[in-house]
PDB file of all heavy atoms in Angstrom:
ATOM      1  N   PRO B 145      87.059  89.084 183.830  1.00 96.00           N
ATOM      2  CA  PRO B 145      87.795  87.905 183.344  1.00 96.00           C
ATOM      3  C   PRO B 145      88.495  88.164 182.014  1.00 96.00           C
ATOM      4  O   PRO B 145      89.636  87.724 181.811  1.00 96.00           O
ATOM      5  CB  PRO B 145      86.693  86.848 183.175  1.00 96.00           C
ATOM      6  CG  PRO B 145      85.587  87.288 184.061  1.00 96.00           C
ATOM      7  CD  PRO B 145      85.643  88.792 184.084  1.00 96.00           C
ATOM      8  N   GLN B 146      87.835  88.902 181.115  1.00 96.00           N
ATOM      9  CA  GLN B 146      88.466  89.205 179.829  1.00 96.00           C
ATOM     10  C   GLN B 146      89.584  90.226 180.005  1.00 96.00           C
ATOM     11  O   GLN B 146      90.638  90.141 179.359  1.00 96.00           O
ATOM     12  CB  GLN B 146      87.438  89.769 178.846  1.00 96.00           C
ATOM     13  CG  GLN B 146      86.335  88.791 178.508  1.00 96.00           C
ATOM     14  CD  GLN B 146      85.371  89.382 177.496  1.00 96.00           C
ATOM     15  OE1 GLN B 146      85.753  89.721 176.383  1.00 96.00           O
ATOM     16  NE2 GLN B 146      84.109  89.517 177.878  1.00 96.00           N
ATOM     17  N   ALA B 147      89.360  91.202 180.895  1.00 96.00           N
ATOM     18  CA  ALA B 147      90.355  92.243 181.132  1.00 96.00           C
ATOM     19  C   ALA B 147      91.646  91.625 181.654  1.00 96.00           C
ATOM     20  O   ALA B 147      92.737  91.917 181.169  1.00 96.00           O
ATOM     21  CB  ALA B 147      89.812  93.274 182.121  1.00 96.00           C
ATOM     22  N   VAL B 148      91.511  90.750 182.644  1.00 95.00           N
ATOM     23  CA  VAL B 148      92.692  90.122 183.233  1.00 95.00           C
ATOM     24  C   VAL B 148      93.425  89.287 182.194  1.00 95.00           C
ATOM     25  O   VAL B 148      94.650  89.329 182.083  1.00 95.00           O
ATOM     26  CB  VAL B 148      92.284  89.255 184.445  1.00 95.00           C
ATOM     27  CG1 VAL B 148      93.432  88.354 184.877  1.00 95.00           C
ATOM     28  CG2 VAL B 148      91.852  90.148 185.609  1.00 95.00           C
ATOM     29  N   ARG B 149      92.661  88.558 181.392  1.00 93.00           N
ATOM     30  CA  ARG B 149      93.297  87.730 180.374  1.00 93.00           C
ATOM     31  C   ARG B 149      94.062  88.605 179.370  1.00 93.00           C
ATOM     32  O   ARG B 149      95.160  88.253 178.953  1.00 93.00           O
ATOM     33  CB  ARG B 149      92.245  86.884 179.656  1.00 93.00           C
ATOM     34  CG  ARG B 149      92.852  85.791 178.821  1.00 93.00           C
ATOM     35  CD  ARG B 149      91.843  84.731 178.488  1.00 93.00           C
ATOM     36  NE  ARG B 149      90.847  85.240 177.568  1.00 93.00           N
ATOM     37  CZ  ARG B 149      89.904  84.470 177.004  1.00 93.00           C
ATOM     38  NH1 ARG B 149      89.829  83.203 177.308  1.00 93.00           N
ATOM     39  NH2 ARG B 149      89.040  84.989 176.174  1.00 93.00           N
ATOM     40  N   ASN B 150      93.489  89.747 179.035  1.00 93.00           N
ATOM     41  CA  ASN B 150      94.133  90.608 178.042  1.00 93.00           C
ATOM     42  C   ASN B 150      95.433  91.243 178.543  1.00 93.00           C
ATOM     43  O   ASN B 150      96.278  91.608 177.745  1.00 93.00           O
ATOM     44  CB  ASN B 150      93.177  91.722 177.587  1.00 93.00           C
ATOM     45  CG  ASN B 150      92.030  91.172 176.751  1.00 93.00           C
ATOM     46  OD1 ASN B 150      92.054  90.003 176.364  1.00 93.00           O
ATOM     47  ND2 ASN B 150      91.039  91.991 176.480  1.00 93.00           N
ATOM     48  N   VAL B 151      95.550  91.427 179.846  1.00 94.00           N
ATOM     49  CA  VAL B 151      96.765  92.078 180.368  1.00 94.00           C
ATOM     50  C   VAL B 151      97.574  91.150 181.272  1.00 94.00           C
ATOM     51  O   VAL B 151      98.393  91.602 182.063  1.00 94.00           O
ATOM     52  CB  VAL B 151      96.434  93.392 181.132  1.00 94.00           C
ATOM     53  CG1 VAL B 151      95.889  94.433 180.179  1.00 94.00           C
ATOM     54  CG2 VAL B 151      95.472  93.136 182.272  1.00 94.00           C
ATOM     55  N   LEU B 152      97.353  89.848 181.117  1.00 92.00           N
ATOM     56  CA  LEU B 152      98.035  88.890 181.982  1.00 92.00           C
ATOM     57  C   LEU B 152      99.563  89.046 181.952  1.00 92.00           C
ATOM     58  O   LEU B 152     100.197  89.049 183.015  1.00 92.00           O
ATOM     59  CB  LEU B 152      97.621  87.458 181.617  1.00 92.00           C
ATOM     60  CG  LEU B 152      97.937  86.408 182.675  1.00 92.00           C
ATOM     61  CD1 LEU B 152      97.313  86.793 184.016  1.00 92.00           C
ATOM     62  CD2 LEU B 152      97.421  85.042 182.249  1.00 92.00           C
ATOM     63  N   PRO B 153     100.189  89.212 180.784  1.00 92.00           N
ATOM     64  CA  PRO B 153     101.651  89.388 180.802  1.00 92.00           C
ATOM     65  C   PRO B 153     102.077  90.612 181.618  1.00 92.00           C
ATOM     66  O   PRO B 153     103.053  90.538 182.364  1.00 92.00           O
ATOM     67  CB  PRO B 153     102.001  89.584 179.319  1.00 92.00           C
ATOM     68  CG  PRO B 153     100.903  88.902 178.580  1.00 92.00           C
ATOM     69  CD  PRO B 153      99.670  89.123 179.405  1.00 92.00           C
ATOM     70  N   ASP B 154     101.335  91.708 181.509  1.00 93.00           N
ATOM     71  CA  ASP B 154     101.695  92.904 182.278  1.00 93.00           C
ATOM     72  C   ASP B 154     101.502  92.688 183.773  1.00 93.00           C
ATOM     73  O   ASP B 154     102.299  93.156 184.591  1.00 93.00           O
ATOM     74  CB  ASP B 154     100.858  94.104 181.819  1.00 93.00           C
ATOM     75  CG  ASP B 154     101.182  94.494 180.386  1.00 93.00           C
ATOM     76  OD1 ASP B 154     102.348  94.340 179.999  1.00 93.00           O
ATOM     77  OD2 ASP B 154     100.282  94.931 179.661  1.00 93.00           O
TER      78      ASP B 154
END
Side-chain angles (χ1 to χ4, degrees):
Chain B
Q146 297 182 61
V148 167
R149 193 162 69 173
N150 290 350
V151 293
L152 197 55
D154 294 326

